[in-house]
Structure formats: structure tokens, C-alpha cells
């Protein structure tokens, strides 16, 4: 209680010691609970599939093999999925970055005549959305169903991203722009030569968000391109495999993978695809950590 | 806005000439923003026009003026559909559970991480805790299903601790579904959502903690009396934003974790709209569901914002 903990030094340090134990126990548990599933999936994906059926694989493979990976890459959908996923990640990220940086630059300029309009107009899109069905009808009316464009075009302008970059530009000294103007630079030159090079940390953050978003989406493939085999994505392939065996909800989509299932157990296939889908992210995100932590903080101030 | 006067010789009001002058002067800024404004119009604002479908018997082949208008017919049949109430119950249950757990757990986690003095360890734990945020819901759903399966890690652990005699069929029982969704969400986003709180905690002056130490306050009391009040504003802002998104919980988790056995607990508004609207081709009915969803969200956001305004006025001691 309050009186007992403040009376003597020994009781205080005793309660602090208990607190320390609680802190480190929680951290230990969080680390285990977060990492164990990934290590378990990795171990099973590298383990012989008939051996895996016996169960009991923890964080290391019992009978090491690369067969599971060979099997999934023998299936054409994986290769197409990989190509489309990479393509949409690159194109979607670049387009999104260009749009966000330019919009952020314009709304950061206090003298811009459209500033108030553009920022309100963008902010509204964060809270009002037409919903799934109207969006689907729109895509259909624009003849975008069954095309690659549904992956990259709709998400180009994102208000959240614009506001994160805007906060970053607001933190740069305005004198930089003024002195460039005195040297005769126009607004485009100021953006391209002065602002953009300084935006690297913000662009790294937003680029990571955009890339992860692109890499991880599956629903647009399911909704708009479910029938177009040449436009399948990795996440969608994984989704089909996971759903087809756990529930049989989507047996129409799952059928393609059934011949693969005959060769190795479905469990091993699932784990191997899961790793293929996850590894690129695991490799990239720790290196961008200092950027996105800052980006999140900036976004919360203004967004 | 004012019109631009084309005739340069005519006496133009100063303001209008100023505007034209400004447009020319800021042509690059306009060129850099207006195309994207048009873009957002197409992809974010045009779907709102699609709400008119909710008041029609929408037929894809017909033009806008050839549609049959039915007024609030679809809303009426929506409110008469018993499934709607089931779906609404599930949506509200999962959003409230998500709001409460998704809100308190990251704060607790941030407080705990903030207490770690060992910098390398702190960094390591944070890096690990961000990991699930970056993997897709497809992967998370696969992992959760795997861990909760009858031979999965959770059942293994419970069996070896003799807490249960037989594996629990977590994924097959509707009564577990809401908890599984909430727990998966926590597992995925706890570390990520703690970032903002940790940043806010970094801004608290160390002299406050020193003063408390001099007064003999334990670290628990320091966390309670200094750290928590220090991130109060951040907590309130984030709370309002989450209330605004309360019923827009999406459908990814429910779609990926759900199965026919638990559909009475996993159906949420967006899935309902998807099943009726696209699955059965009842576009107008689906749109009515989407519209209701958006309307409720906006009302909640405005309410939360109004509450905040009153609170922030009164809360300055």
C-alpha cells in the first residue's frame, strides 16, 4: 500500500524488484508468443511431410528437406502469383509515393490557394467510404475487373500518407524554399531539387507501408480477379490453400492446388507457402524500423 | 470561386485579378495536386454516388435514369431480416471487444517496455513485437488456425499442464470465435499500437521521475502517477479515432478465421453485404447495408469528437 512502500528504503526496493520480475517475465512471454508460431511454421516447412504428420515438431525440423518448397514452386500459380505480387508491390508503391509526396508538398505550402480545400477534401476520404458494393460496381463500370489496374490504381491517393509526409515537410525550415525561390527556382524545381531529397526518411516510412499493403492484399484478387489465373497473387494462392482444406468453403478456387496436395501433405504445403509469403517482409522491416517509428509518431500528431 | 476575367483591358476587381495572378503563379502547385484530387474523386467520392443504388432496384444493364426507384424498400427488408440482427450483434460484440482489449493492452505493453533499462533488450523486444503487424491477415489466420488446432501448440500446452483431458476444438465452436478474433488482433497489433504511446512517454520530462524518486515513490507508483498521466492526451486522441472506426471493423479476420461451423458468430456487416450484394446479386440490398454502416460510423465519430471537445474543456485542472 501507499504508506508501506514509501516508509522505508528496503520496502521500496523490494516492490521495485517484484516490478522488475513482472516486467521481464511479460517481455519474455511476449517474445515467445510472437516468435514461436513463426519458428514452428518454418520448422514444419523444412521438415519431411510424412514425418510432420506424426506431430511434435517444435522449432527445428526433425527430418530436414526442401521438398515442400520444390513442390509448391512446381505449381504454376505460385510463379504467376510471385510475379504479380512483386509487380504490384513495385508499381503500387512508386505511384503511391509520387502522389503522396506531391500532394503533401502542395498542402504544406501556406500560400497555396487550394490548401484548405485539398486538405479537407482528403481528410474526408478517411472517414467516409462508399462501401464494398458501390466500389465493386464502380470497378465494373470502369471496365477494371479482370485487369492488373485494380491492384495499383484505386489506392494511389491515401490521405493518411499525405498527412504523414506533410507533417515531415512542416518540420523542414521554410527558409530552404525561400532561398531557392530567390535563386529563381519554380515550385516544381523546389519540390524536386530541395524538398524531395530531404524527404527520404518519410518516403522510406510511407514506402514501407505501401509496399507491405500491396504485398499483403488478397481481397482485391479474390473480389475482382478471382477468375483471372494470370493475375493471381501470392496471398490469394495462400488464402485458397488455407481455406480449401480447413473448411472447403471455396472448393472452386481450391481445386487447382489439389494435385499438389497429393504429393506432400497439405499441412506442409501451407507452411511452405506461408514462409514464402512472409520472408520478404521479415528481411526488410527491421532495417526500416527507425524510419517507421518516426513516421508513426509524426502521423499521430496531425493525422 | 470567382471567375477569371478573360478581358485584360477591362477594369477588373483587384481580388479577381489577384486570383488569376495567383493561379498562374502557382500553376506548378496546382498541376501537382489537381490531378490527384480528380483521382480521389473517382475512387473515393464516386462510390458515394453509388449509394443511390440503395434506393433503386438496381439492374446492371440499365442506365441511371432507367432504374426503378423504390425508396426505402431495401432498408425496410433489411430491418425485417432476422440475419441482420445477428450480424449486427456479432459486429458490435467484436468491435467492443476489439476496442476495449485493443486499447488497453498496447498501453500496458508500452508501460512495461518503457520500464526496461537495458537498451539492447528494449530494442530487440520492440522489433519482435512489430513483426506480426507486417504479415498479412492470411498468414495470421493460418498461424492462428495452426496453433489452435487439436494437435496445435495451445492444446499441447494445456494438455501437458493437465488443464484439459481432451484437445479443445477452438475453431469449430462459435462461442470461442469472438475471443479468437480479439486475441488474434492483439497478437498482431499490440507492439505496433504501442509505438505511439512509447513516443509520447519519451517526451515526459525525466525531472518528474527524479522528483518522485526523491519522494520515495516506487516504480509502479511512478508509472501510475507520471507515465500514465503523461500520455493522457495521446490516449484520448486515439480513443476518439477508434470510436470513429468502431463498426468499420472490416471483414478480413472474420472471413479468414471463420468457417461454416461458426458462421452464426463470424458474420459481420461487410460479409453480410458481400454475401447478399455480390454472392446473390442483390446489389441494392448490399449497398443499403454498406450505407447504414457508413452512416453509423460517422455518427459515432461525431459523438466521440463532441465528447472529446467537452472533456478537453473540462479536463484542464
Amino acid at each position: 500500500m501507499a504508506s508501506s512502500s514509501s516508509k522505508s528504503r528496503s520496502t521500496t526496493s523490494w516492490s521495485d524488484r517484484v516490478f522488475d520480475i513482472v516486467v521481464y517475465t511479460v517481455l519474455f512471454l511476449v517474445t515467445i508468443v510472437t516468435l514461436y508460431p513463426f519458428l514452428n511454421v518454418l520448422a514444419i516447412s523444412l521438415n519431411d511431410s510424412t514425418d510432420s504428420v506424426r506431430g511434435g515438431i517444435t522449432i527445428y525440423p526433425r527430418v530436414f528437406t526442401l521438398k515442400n518448397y520444390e513442390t509448391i514452386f512446381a505449381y504454376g500459380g505460385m510463379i504467376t502469383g510471385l510475379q504479380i505480387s512483386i509487380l504490384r508491390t513495385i508499381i503500387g508503391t512508386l505511384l503511391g509515393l509520387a502522389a503522396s509526396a506531391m500532394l503533401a508538398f502542395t498542402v504544406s505550402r501556406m500560400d497555396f490557394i487550394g490548401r484548405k480545400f485539398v486538405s479537407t477534401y482528403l481528410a474526408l476520404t478517411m472517414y467516409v467510404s462508399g462501401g464494398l458494393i458501390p466500389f465493386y460496381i464502380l470497378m465494373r463500370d470502369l471496365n477494371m475487373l479482370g485487369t492488373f489496374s485494380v491492384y495499383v490504381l484505386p489506392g494511389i491517393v491515401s490521405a493518411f500518407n499525405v498527412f504523414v509526409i506533410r507533417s515531415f515537410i512542416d518540420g523542414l525550415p521554410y527558409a530552404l524554399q525561400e532561398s531557392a525561390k530567390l535563386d529563381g527556382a519554380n515550385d516544381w524545381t523546389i519540390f524536386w531539387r530541395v524538398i524531395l531529397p530531404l524527404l527520404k526518411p518519410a518516403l522510406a516510412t510511407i514506402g514501407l507501408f505501401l509496399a507491405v499493403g500491396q504485398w499483403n492484399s488478397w481481397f482485391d484478387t479474390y473480389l475482382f480477379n478471382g477468375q483471372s489465373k494470370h493475375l493471381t497473387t501470392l496471398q490469394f494462392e495462400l488464402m485458397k490453400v488455407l481455406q480449401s482444406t480447413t473448411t472447403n468453403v471455396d472448393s472452386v478456387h481450391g481445386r487447382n492446388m489439389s494435385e499438389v496436395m497429393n504429393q506432400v501433405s497439405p499441412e506442409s504445403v501451407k507452411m511452405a507457402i506461408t514462409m514464402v509469403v512472409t520472408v520478404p517482409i521479415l528481411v526488410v522491416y527491421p532495417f526500416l524500423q527507425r524510419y517507421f517509428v518516426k513516421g508513426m509518431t509524426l502521423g499521430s500528431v496531425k493525422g | 470561386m470567382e471567375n477569371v476575367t478573360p478581358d485584360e483591358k477591362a477594369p477588373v476587381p483587384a481580388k479577381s485579378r489577384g486570383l488569376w495572378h495567383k493561379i498562374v503563379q502557382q500553376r506548378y502547385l496546382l498541376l501537382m495536386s489537381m490531378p490527384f484530387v480528380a483521382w480521389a474523386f473517382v475512387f473515393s467520392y464516386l462510390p458515394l454516388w453509388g449509394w443511390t443504388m440503395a434506393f433503386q432496384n438496381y439492374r446492371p444493364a440499365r442506365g441511371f435514369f432507367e432504374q426503378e426507384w423504390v425508396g426505402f424498400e431495401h432498408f425496410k427488408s433489411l430491418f425485417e431480416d432476422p440475419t441482420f440482427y445477428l450480424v449486427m450483434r456479432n459486429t458490435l460484440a467484436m468491435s467492443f471487444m476489439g476496442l476495449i482489449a485493443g486499447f488497453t493492452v498496447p498501453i500496458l505493453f508500452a508501460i512495461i517496455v518503457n520500464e526496461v533499462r537495458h537498451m539492447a533488450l528494449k530494442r530487440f523486444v520492440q522489433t519482435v513485437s512489430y513483426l506480426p503487424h507486417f504479415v498479412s491477415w492470411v498468414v495470421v489466420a493460418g498461424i492462428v488456425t495452426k496453433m489452435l488446432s487439436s494437435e496445435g501448440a495451445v492444446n499441447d500446452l494445456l494438455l501437458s499442464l493437465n488443464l484439459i483431458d481432451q484437445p479443445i476444438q477452438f475453431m469449430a465452436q462459435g462461442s470461442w470465435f469472438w475471443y479468437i478474433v480479439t486475441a488474434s488482433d492483439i497478437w498482431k497489433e499490440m507492439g505496433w499500437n504501442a509505438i505511439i504511446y512509447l513516443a509520447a512517454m519519451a517526451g515526459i520530462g525525466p525531472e518528474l521521475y527524479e522528483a518522485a524518486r526523491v519522494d520515495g515513490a516506487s516504480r509502479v507508483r511512478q508509472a501510475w502517477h507520471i507515465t500514465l498521466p503523461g500520455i493522457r492526451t495521446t490516449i484520448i486522441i486515439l480513443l476518439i479515432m477508434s470510436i470513429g472506426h468502431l463498426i468499420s471493423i472490416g471483414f478480413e479476420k472474420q472471413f479468414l478465421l471463420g468457417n461454416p461451423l461458426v458462421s452464426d458468430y463470424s458474420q459481420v456487416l461487410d460479409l453480410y453485404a458481400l454475401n447478399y450484394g455480390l454472392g446473390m446479386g442483390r446489389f441494392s440490398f448490399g449497398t443499403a447495408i454498406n450505407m447504414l454502416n457508413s452512416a453509423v460510423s460517422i455518427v459515432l465519430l461525431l459523438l466521440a469528437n463532441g465528447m472529446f471537445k467537452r472533456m478537453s474543456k473540462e479536463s484542464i485542472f
Side-chain angles (χ1 to χ4, degrees), chain B residues 230-260:
Chain B
I231 58 170
R232 195 159 161 271
T233 324
T234 315
I235 293 177
I236 293 175
I237 291 172
L238 291 186
L239 185 63
I240 297 184
M241 284 166 70
S242 0
I243 291 175
H245 292 123
L246 190 63
I247 78 163
S248 330
I249 52 172
F251 49 87
E252 265 195 285
K253 299 165 252 195
Q254 288 79 9
F255 185 107
L256 294 164
L257 287 166
N259 61 60

Side-chain angles (χ1 to χ4, degrees), chain A residues 218-227 236 239 250 253, chain B residues 255 274:
Chain A
W218 59 278
F219 191 70
D220 43 15
T221 317
Y222 172 82
L223 196 59
F224 304 121
N225 291 342
Q227 309 305 321
F236 183 58
M239 190 280 270
D250 216 355
H253 290 309
Chain B
F255 185 107
L274 191 67

Side-chain angles (χ1 to χ4, degrees), chain A residues 12-39:
Chain A
T12 306
S13 61
W14 176 82
S15 86
D16 281 356
R17 209 163 296 158
V18 173
F19 190 50
D20 262 339
I21 293 171
V22 173
V23 165
Y24 287 104
T25 313
V26 170
L27 292 189
F28 178 73
L29 288 177
V30 167
T31 311
I32 298 291
V33 169
T34 310
L35 286 184
Y36 179 82
F38 290 106
L39 294 172

Side-chain angles (χ1 to χ4, degrees), chain B residues 71 78 90 254 268 272:
Chain B
L78 179 64
N90 295 340
Q254 288 79 9
V268 287
Y272 181 54

Side-chain angles (χ1 to χ4, degrees), chain A residues 208 284-294, chain B residues 122-124 126-128 130:
Chain A
L208 177 73
V284 173
Y285 93 91
F287 298 100
L288 291 168
Q289 191 171 335
R290 61 196 174 104
Y291 294 129
F292 67 67
V293 169
K294 192 160 188 206
Chain B
K122 189 173 175 175
R123 236 185 106 77
F124 172 75
Q126 279 184 275
T127 308
V128 167
Y130 302 148

Side-chain angles (χ1 to χ4, degrees), chain B residues 12-89:
Chain B
V12 189
K15 211 177 168 188
S16 159
R17 189 171 53 202
L19 184 78
W20 177 241
H21 180 70
K22 271 201 149 163
I23 288 175
V24 174
Q25 198 182 33
Q26 302 190 345
R27 61 193 179 281
Y28 289 106
L29 292 178
L30 287 164
L31 278 173
M32 285 163 79
S33 57
M34 288 309 145
F36 297 115
V37 166
W39 201 268
F41 180 77
V42 171
F43 290 105
S44 297
Y45 284 91
L46 263 188
L48 295 177
W49 173 251
W51 280 359
T52 53
M53 283 190 295
F55 305 101
Q56 305 164 340
N57 266 334
Y58 178 77
R59 294 270 187 298
R62 290 189 201 155
F64 179 73
F65 293 103
E66 296 152 13
Q67 300 288 351
E68 178 193 346
W69 293 83
V70 295
F72 286 89
E73 204 58 44
H74 295 293
F75 289 93
K76 241 170 84 188
S77 54
L78 179 64
F79 288 121
E80 280 163 7
D81 182 6
T83 320
F84 170 70
Y85 295 96
L86 188 79
V87 165
M88 206 63 202
R89 178 202 68 175

Side-chain angles (χ1 to χ4, degrees), chain B residues 185-201:
Chain B
D185 214 8
I186 298 283
W187 183 77
K188 194 175 188 298
E189 304 296 346
M190 178 182 78
W192 183 255
N193 290 337
I195 290 182
I196 294 176
Y197 300 117
L198 281 164
M201 286 174 192

Side-chain angles (χ1 to χ4, degrees), chain A residues 75 236-246 254 257 261 266 269-270 273:
Chain A
Y75 165 60
F236 183 58
E237 288 300 317
L238 175 63
M239 190 280 270
K240 284 195 298 190
V241 178
L242 290 173
Q243 295 278 317
S244 65
T245 42
T246 50
M257 208 62 184
M261 299 295 198
V269 166
K270 282 187 207 170
I273 303 182

